Amino acid sequence: MEPAINVTQSKFRKLRSFMKIDVLLGLQWGDEGKGKIVDVLTPKYNVIARFQGGPNAGHTLEFEGIKHVLHTIPSGIFHSDSENVIGNGVVIDPVIMEAELKALEPFNVDINKVLFVSRKAQLILPTHKLLDAASEAAKGKDKIGSTLKGIGPTYMDKTGRNGLRVGDIESDQFMAKYNKLKDKHIQLLGNFKFDYSELDALETAWMKSIELLRGLNLIDSEHFVNNRLKSNSSILAEGAQGSLLDVDFGSYPFVTSSNTVCAGACTGLGVAPNRIGDVYGIFKAYCTRVGSGPFPTELHDSVGEEIRKAGHEFGATTGRPRRCGWIDLPALKYAIMLNGVTQLIMTKADVLSGFSEINVCTHYMHKNEKIDYMPYDIISEEVTPVYHSVPGWEEDLTGMRSIDELPKSLMDYVEYLEGELEVPISIVSVGPDRTQTLMR
Ligand code: GDP
Ligand code: IMO
Ligand code: MG
């Protein structure tokens, strides 16, 4: 009889030893500090790739006294040795991207060398933005609190199979396709009775930016990414928004229109699920949300106000004040489960300095029952947080540069969270700057 095939010796071994792609994503309602941490981790990676969302994201990086906010461009862009990919799952507004590229000009970023855009990424048209505004206006008090960047209408056209993709700009049919979609949108705007008199001006700017986009490296990103893996390049996928804004698992309908969870990296880049390696889940030492929708641990008192002030909690994209509250373990456990998180990163620990007591939501009261999970409906059915209180710390953490310097009560907080979440916290961030990042 023939011996059974020994896969470790066969020609298939090479397939099995492929590099994996790591994923970094937010575990709350966005703005966890993803941009900062991706920038810090980039020296470990050859490629940084965005896989979903679009200019609704605002990712802030700070180094050498300068603050940068990125919306579409991956947060590895300031490292000249790393390639940055905007994947097929992303939606792109060329006008916003042009402004981002312009803002990079003083910093000697060699865009031709380090930036690559998927032909399969969807384009946000000026009329998508108008439709977003019309839809929100029509919802009145039930509005989602969208960033009004056209995200929802663009993903609707993608799944409705009407969308315009980056690759279409290379086709001689581009204007015909554009006009067909625009006409459909104008009809819809008419139904909404929405004033679209600014469309001409928006369109002129958009067409100009399309010319710029045409000059960038347009790629078949699924091949690019998989070829890089084959040649042993390390890749970090950069999430946008947060797990609780995921279109399937977030607090629907108060969500964004993409899959923000780890699985989104597979569909948004064209990598197979068995190629996912480490999953970094990032969360704030407390919790924030911007826009409408349920937020069980939200603080409507002076403590919430103090956190907002200390944490400068104002949106990086819209400038709106962020709603602030205590950390929510049932929500974090849910996000960790959905994403298969292997390492946790806690940001903004410095913001809690000076609070004598820190509350941690361990359970909810729901229909007179104490539960430790997020129930189906947290919008019309009330959930009341049950808190466990831990001692705070007085020390200013922002000058600390090693874990050993951190106060004991903060380390107790970290260890308590690790025990509850059953995943190690490998990075603690104590300020917005690159250097304010402590590795454990
Ligand atoms: P992202 O969307 O997840 O990239 O996060 P944002 O950039 O929207 O929001 C995070 C904000 O907190 C930004 O202003 C960051 O500069 C800032 N930030 C990040 N980490 C820390 C930290 O550890 N402490 C403080 N104080 N600020 C931080
Ligand atoms: P980053 O990547 C925080 C919120 C909006 C709104 C809802 C839907 O910076 O963490 P959309 O514009 O997507 O239709 O808005 O989602 N939202 C975010 N909140 N951070 C973000 O991105 C967000 N992107 C969208 O406020 O409630
Ligand atoms: Mg943000």
Side-chain angles (χ1 to χ4, degrees):
M1 207 171 71
E2 287 290 319
I5 293 173
N6 179 350
V7 279
T8 57
Q9 285 173 8
S10 81
K11 61 186 173 182
F12 299 118
R13 181 157 175 239
K14 214 165 149 227
L15 278 177
R16 290 171 167 257
S17 62
F18 253 29
M19 281 293 279
K20 302 246 176 183
I21 166 167
D22 294 341
V23 182
L24 182 144
L25 42 76
L27 298 179
Q28 295 165 322
W29 278 287
D31 303 329
E32 297 89 349
K34 299 175 291 292
K36 173 197 158 156
I37 300 294
V38 168
D39 170 60
V40 168
L41 294 179
T42 296
K44 280 176 54 183
Y45 292 93
N46 302 115
V47 180
I48 307 296
R50 277 279 304 270
F51 58 90
Q52 48 68 235
N56 48 350
H59 293 183
T60 314
L61 289 66
E62 265 188 61
F63 53 89
E64 292 160 15
I66 303 175
K67 175 170 156 175
H68 306 269
V69 182
L70 299 168
H71 302 286
T72 326
I73 293 176
S75 300
I77 199 73
F78 292 101
H79 298 261
S80 56
D81 292 338
S82 302
E83 294 174 320
N84 290 264
V85 174
I86 299 175
N88 59 278
V90 176
V91 293
I92 298 176
D93 181 335
V95 178
I96 292 178
M97 194 158 150
E98 180 176 2
E100 288 182 70
L101 290 171
K102 200 156 180 49
L104 290 179
E105 274 172 14
F107 302 98
N108 295 324
V109 178
D110 186 352
I111 289 302
N112 289 328
K113 186 176 149 223
V114 296
L115 185 66
F116 301 85
V117 184
S118 175
R119 289 195 173 89
K120 292 194 172 75
Q122 298 274 324
L123 286 170
I124 302 176
L125 271 57
T127 38
H128 281 132
K129 272 171 75 167
L130 295 173
L131 281 170
D132 209 358
S135 162
E136 285 283 82
K139 285 192 161 109
K141 68 171 182 36
D142 296 327
K143 70 176 182 180
I144 306 295
S146 155
T147 58
L148 301 179
K149 302 295 176 194
I151 305 297
T154 306
Y155 279 115
M156 277 166 72
D157 272 334
K158 174 182 179 174
T159 51
R161 296 156 298 178
N162 297 307
L164 204 59
R165 300 190 292 179
V166 166
D168 289 323
I169 69 180
E170 296 176 313
S171 146
D172 53 11
Q173 295 299 304
F174 174 62
M175 279 314 294
K177 286 185 181 177
Y178 171 83
N179 283 321
K180 194 169 161 199
L181 189 53
K182 175 181 133 182
D183 289 348
K184 177 177 159 263
H185 291 166
I186 285 177
Q187 241 183 30
L188 291 170
L189 288 166
N191 294 347
F192 276 116
K193 301 196 174 26
F194 192 82
D195 172 14
Y196 55 89
S197 50
E198 58 172 329
L199 177 57
D200 285 351
L202 292 175
E203 193 172 60
T204 305
W206 194 85
M207 289 297 172
K208 187 176 141 273
S209 304
I210 285 290
E211 286 315 309
L212 182 108
L213 186 56
R214 228 188 276 281
L216 300 181
N217 296 310
L218 307 186
I219 56 166
D220 297 325
S221 54
E222 64 278 34
H223 291 294
F224 182 99
V225 166
N226 283 288
N227 286 338
R228 289 291 185 271
L229 285 178
K230 230 178 198 168
S231 58
N232 276 336
S233 287
S234 51
I235 305 183
L236 178 65
E238 172 182 2
Q241 290 77 58
S243 302
L244 304 178
L245 287 169
D246 181 274
V247 66
D248 281 277
F249 302 106
S251 43
Y252 194 88
F254 299 102
V255 294
T256 190
S257 298
S258 64
N259 280 116
T260 60
V261 295
C262 185
C266 296
T267 55
L269 290 171
V271 293
N274 61 356
R275 297 283 178 249
I276 300 294
D278 256 324
V279 181
Y280 300 99
I282 176 164
F283 66 99
K284 285 180 189 174
Y286 48 95
C287 195
T288 64
R289 173 165 204 168
V290 60
S292 326
F295 180 2
T297 61
E298 181 170 13
L299 291 164
H300 298 281
D301 57 8
S302 60
V303 179
E305 194 55 49
E306 259 179 82
I307 294 178
R308 183 174 310 114
K309 234 172 111 188
H312 304 290
E313 292 296 355
F314 296 89
T317 296
T318 59
R320 291 178 292 178
R322 295 179 184 142
R323 301 154 64 193
C324 297
W326 295 119
I327 200 163
D328 182 338
L329 295 186
L332 275 180
K333 286 177 186 172
Y334 184 57
I336 288 168
M337 173 187 85
L338 294 170
N339 291 302
V341 172
T342 60
Q343 292 189 50
L344 289 166
I345 298 169
M346 184 169 89
T347 59
K348 304 197 105 165
D350 55 301
V351 173
L352 293 186
S353 289
F355 286 86
S356 56
E357 195 176 55
I358 291 164
N359 282 335
V360 177
C361 167
T362 57
H363 296 80
Y364 304 129
M365 288 308 294
H366 176 247
K367 295 181 176 171
N368 292 325
E369 231 186 293
K370 190 174 167 185
I371 58 171
D372 64 358
Y373 61 91
M374 275 199 137
Y376 171 71
D377 183 0
I378 61 167
I379 297 171
S380 53
E381 290 171 1
E382 206 172 330
V383 290
T384 313
V386 177
Y387 289 114
H388 168 72
S389 160
V390 300
W393 54 90
E394 281 300 320
E395 293 86 338
D396 175 2
L397 313 178
T398 55
M400 299 187 179
R401 291 294 176 272
S402 109
I403 284 284
D404 305 332
E405 292 175 60
L406 294 179
K408 178 167 183 311
S409 37
L410 169 55
M411 288 318 293
D412 289 346
Y413 184 50
V414 166
E415 280 163 25
Y416 169 71
L417 294 177
E418 281 182 329
E420 289 291 316
L421 300 172
E422 298 177 324
V423 183
I425 297 178
S426 53
I427 299 178
V428 178
S429 171
V430 294
D433 193 83
R434 258 184 199 167
T435 55
Q436 294 169 308
T437 316
L438 315 185
M439 308 289 178
R440 282 180 86 209

